[in-house]
Amino acid sequence: QVQLVEVGGGLVQPGGSLRLSCAASGSIFNINTMGWYRRTPGKQRELVAHITRGSSTDYVDSVKGRFTISRDNAKNTVYLQMNSLKPEDTAVYYCYAVIASDGNAYNDYWGQGTQVTVSA
């Protein structure tokens, strides 16, 4: 069984910073793309950023220049460094990873979600 555990959410002031971490554990044969989605009540789920196995990255336009996604393959962990936070960044953030479990076909796995609130 594979699990993704997220940490790092919280309440910050506008202009502040947070770093989210998501660690995969369990029976893991290989990990391809990892990334982050966010969901705000009344809005559709939005892909924030992803990073490929070869470390190619992409971001939604609204976070470019402020957020940085990275990964540590030795720790099976993906990070999202969020700087210059704005109230519109407030959301529940979900990490995901595309994982082959002990030789089986690749499947998508999701973290439990962590609340990020940006408010004065």
Side-chain angles (χ1 to χ4, degrees), residues 11-117:
L11 173 64
V12 296
Q13 294 179 316
S17 297
L18 283 174
R19 190 177 79 153
L20 307 183
S21 300
C22 176
S25 63
S27 181
I28 298 173
F29 180 76
N30 197 20
I31 303 178
N32 284 330
T33 299
M34 309 180 80
W36 298 88
Y37 281 82
R38 64 187 180 186
R39 179 73 171 87
T40 300
K43 299 181 180 180
Q44 293 185 336
R45 185 185 64 179
E46 178 181 51
L47 176 63
V48 179
H50 69 218
I51 181 167
T52 69
R53 184 171 50 193
S55 296
S56 178
T57 60
D58 200 12
Y59 302 87
V60 66
D61 286 344
S62 61
V63 310
K64 288 180 178 177
R66 300 188 297 118
F67 291 11
T68 302
I69 188 170
S70 61
R71 63 191 288 171
D72 185 335
N73 291 329
K75 298 180 179 179
N76 292 331
T77 299
V78 62
Y79 305 94
L80 187 66
Q81 178 67 47
M82 303 184 293
N83 298 326
S84 301
L85 282 161
K86 303 175 180 180
E88 50 262 46
D89 296 317
T90 296
V92 178
Y93 285 71
Y94 298 88
C95 69
Y96 74 91
V98 183
I99 297 174
S101 179
D102 197 20
N104 291 325
Y106 284 92
N107 292 291
D108 294 346
Y109 294 88
W110 293 86
Q112 79 280 10
T114 185
Q115 176 71 48
V116 172
T117 302

